[in-house]
Amino acid sequence: MSTEKATATIKLGWVHPRVINLLKGLTRDQLDGRRKADKFVEDTHWKKDPCGTIMWHFEELDNWIAGKGDSPT
């Protein structure tokens, strides 16, 4: 019998800014400021839901922080 443990990964995808604040420490003001300064790409890092709330892509923000993936030119 193997003693190795399996690791599960859960991808969160599009989340409310409260989740980003709780798990990454970025406030809504920080997110909005960087979005308005064109640091984030619409439909990659953020998008508006049908009610007009700006949602953030959890994993794509990780890529941005790491310097990978889409970035504005």
Side-chain angles (χ1 to χ4, degrees):
M1 185 155 106
S2 175
T3 59
E4 294 180 33
K5 292 185 179 184
T7 303
T9 301
I10 298 172
K11 294 191 178 190
L12 299 179
W14 296 103
V15 296
H16 193 273
R18 287 185 299 237
V19 175
I20 301 298
N21 182 247
L22 180 66
L23 299 177
K24 294 189 186 300
L26 295 168
T27 66
R28 184 184 300 230
D29 287 342
Q30 289 172 318
L31 292 168
D32 285 343
R34 292 172 187 169
R35 178 179 56 84
K36 290 175 183 175
D38 291 329
K39 302 287 184 189
F40 297 126
V41 178
E42 187 172 3
D43 292 326
T44 298
H45 300 110
W46 68 275
K47 68 165 75 175
K48 284 188 180 181
D49 72 9
C51 293
T53 302
I54 294 177
M55 304 296 283
W56 295 88
H57 198 283
F58 193 85
E59 290 77 22
E60 287 299 331
L61 288 179
D62 285 341
N63 290 336
W64 180 82
I65 291 167
K68 302 179 212 171
D70 287 343
S71 62
T73 53

